[in-house]
Amino acid sequence: MYSFDKFHELVTETIDRNPFSKTPEELYEPMDYILNIGGKRIRPILTLLGTDLFDGNVEDALKPSLAIEFFHNFSLIHDDIMDNASLRRNKTTVHEKFGVNTAILSGDAMLVKAYQFLEDLEPELFKRATKLFSQTALEVCEGQQLDVNYETKLNVSYEDYIKMISLKTSVLLGAGLKLGAIIADSSDEDAEKLYQFGLNLGIAYQLKDDYLDVFGSLEHLGKKHAGDIYENKKTILYISALEAANDAQKEELLYWYSSNTDNVDKVYAVEKLFRALNVNRKLSTLIREYTNKANDYLNAIDLPEEKKVYLRELSEVLIDRQG
C-alpha cells in the first residue's frame, strides 16, 4: 500500500518525466513556473487515491492524473487574470510576471496538454475518461462565469453560492477521484459515490477558503489578505452576514460592497461586521456539515476501512488547514 507522501512523489516524478518543449521559451516558461510554485497537487493525488482504493494499477493513473493537475493550473492562470490578482501561493501571478497575453496563451497550451495526458488510455477507458473530463471542464467554466456574474448581482442566495462553488471548485475534486475509479474499473455506482465524496469535500474546501481569506493566518495564506472583500466577492460570509444583519448593519455592508477601493478601512469595517454577526462561527459549522456529508458517501462504499484511511486523512488536512 502506498503512503500519502509516495503519491505526492509519484505525481512530481511524472511531471518531471514529461517536460515541455524547449521552444518557444516564452510559451513554456510560464507553464513551468506555475507548476513549480508550491501547489499541494491535491487533485492528481485524488486520482491516484481513487485508483488505489479499488485495487487498480496506480502506474496506469499517473499520466491521466496530470490531466487534472494541468487543467487546474490552466484555470488558475486565467482566473488570476480575470481577478487581477497579484499573488498566487505567495508568488507573483503568471500574468504579472510574464504579461497578460503570454499568460492567456500559456494557459491555453496547458489545457491542450491536459487532454494529451489521457491519450495513452485504452480506447474504452479513453472514451469514458474524456467524457468525464470534458463535462467537468465545461462545468468549471460555468462556475467561473457565475462567480463573475455574482460580483454585480445584488442578491446572491445561499443556493446560488453553493451551486457556483460546486461548479467552479468541487467538480474537479470529484472528477479526479472518479477518474481514478474509472481507471481501476470500479462499478459505476461506487465511482459515483466516490465522486459525491469529492464533490461535498470540495464544497467544504472552498468554504474553508472563504473563511481563511478573511480569518486565516497571514503567514500561510499565500495570497492577498481579504482579497474577496477588496473585490466585492459575495462569498458565504457576505451572504450569511446580509441575512443576519439589522437595517443599519445591512446598510453599512452594502455601502462597502458597492465601493471599489483598496482602502484598508473597508476590510476592517467588513471584518468587524462579520464578527459581530457571528458568521465566522456559522461558517465553521457549515464546513463540518459538508465534510460529514462527504464522509457519508465514503462510508457507503463497501470496502474495508483500512482502504479508506488516506481519503479520511486528506479530508481532515484540507478542512483543518490554516492557510
Side-chain angles (χ1 to χ4, degrees):
M1 191 174 183
Y2 291 90
S3 68
F4 189 81
D5 286 343
K6 182 61 177 177
F7 284 123
H8 190 281
E9 183 183 320
L10 285 171
V11 171
T12 301
E13 288 175 353
T14 308
I15 290 174
D16 291 342
R17 287 200 305 269
N18 291 274
F20 298 115
S21 300
K22 294 186 183 298
T23 57
E25 181 181 344
E26 295 81 2
L27 176 68
Y28 293 112
E29 185 182 354
M31 296 161 69
D32 268 324
Y33 173 77
I34 196 166
L35 283 172
N36 291 287
I37 58 171
K40 302 179 186 73
R41 294 176 175 158
I42 296 300
R43 292 155 189 82
I45 289 173
L46 286 174
T47 300
L48 304 188
L49 286 170
T51 298
D52 188 60
L53 182 67
F54 297 108
D55 294 323
N57 186 346
V58 171
E59 294 290 325
D60 293 341
L62 289 176
K63 286 183 73 173
S65 78
L66 296 195
I68 298 291
E69 177 70 351
F70 275 53
F71 179 85
H72 173 59
N73 281 279
F74 142 75
S75 70
L76 294 183
I77 292 174
H78 284 202
D79 286 2
D80 285 342
I81 294 169
M82 296 174 75
D83 291 341
N84 199 26
S86 59
L87 287 178
R88 167 70 62 183
R89 302 164 183 162
N90 268 328
K91 302 288 185 179
T92 305
T93 48
V94 172
H95 69 279
E96 288 283 338
K97 185 175 178 66
F98 298 97
V100 172
N101 288 347
T102 295
I104 291 171
L105 194 58
S106 293
D108 292 344
M110 288 201 84
L111 177 59
V112 175
K113 288 290 294 184
Y115 275 93
Q116 288 182 332
F117 284 122
L118 299 174
E119 290 175 355
D120 290 347
L121 292 171
E122 293 298 318
E124 185 56 35
L125 274 183
F126 175 78
K127 182 178 179 180
R128 292 174 65 195
T130 304
K131 183 177 180 180
L132 170 67
F133 193 80
S134 295
Q135 179 61 34
T136 303
L138 188 58
E139 287 172 338
V140 171
C141 292
E142 291 170 355
Q144 176 65 8
Q145 184 60 57
L146 289 177
D147 193 21
V148 172
N149 293 352
Y150 293 169
E151 289 179 25
T152 53
K153 185 178 178 181
L154 292 177
N155 296 308
V156 178
S157 69
Y158 168 81
E159 290 77 16
D160 288 337
Y161 188 71
I162 294 299
K163 179 181 179 181
M164 184 272 287
I165 64 173
S166 296
L167 292 169
K168 183 177 177 180
T169 300
S170 306
V171 293
L172 198 57
L173 273 70
L177 284 162
K178 189 171 184 177
L179 178 60
I182 287 171
I183 291 168
D185 199 27
S186 76
S187 70
D188 290 343
E189 183 180 357
D190 279 343
E192 182 58 26
K193 288 174 184 174
L194 194 57
Y195 177 85
Q196 290 297 328
F197 165 75
L199 187 73
N200 284 280
L201 184 63
I203 293 172
Y205 176 82
Q206 182 57 53
L207 293 176
K208 185 62 181 273
D209 254 15
D210 293 348
Y211 178 94
L212 291 172
D213 181 76
V214 179
F215 302 110
S217 164
L218 286 176
E219 180 184 354
H220 298 112
L221 199 57
K223 56 183 179 180
K224 185 177 182 179
H225 172 63
D228 291 341
I229 294 175
Y230 282 117
E231 296 165 19
N232 298 327
K233 284 189 177 290
K234 297 177 179 67
T235 69
I236 199 69
L237 289 165
Y238 170 85
I239 293 166
S240 299
L242 208 56
E243 288 179 352
N246 60 33
D247 288 344
Q249 290 168 324
K250 187 177 293 186
E251 184 178 351
E252 183 181 0
L253 194 59
L254 290 171
Y255 165 76
W256 286 116
Y257 271 76
S258 65
S259 66
N260 294 310
T261 175
D262 269 1
N263 190 337
V264 70
D265 291 342
K266 174 180 179 177
V267 172
Y268 175 78
V270 171
E271 185 176 335
K272 186 178 178 182
L273 277 171
F274 284 169
R275 290 189 185 276
L277 294 165
N278 251 347
V279 295
N280 50 325
R281 293 183 182 179
K282 293 175 185 174
L283 181 51
S284 293
T285 300
L286 194 60
I287 290 166
R288 184 50 56 186
E289 287 176 1
Y290 274 101
T291 305
N292 290 341
K293 188 175 179 181
N295 284 324
D296 287 343
Y297 279 106
L298 189 58
N299 292 339
I301 298 174
D302 187 18
L303 287 172
E305 186 57 32
E306 59 265 24
K307 294 289 293 179
K308 304 174 184 178
V309 63
Y310 290 139
L311 288 173
R312 295 206 190 279
E313 285 181 8
L314 181 62
S315 171
E316 291 300 319
V317 168
L318 292 180
I319 303 308
D320 292 341
R321 72 197 193 282
Q322 297 305 307

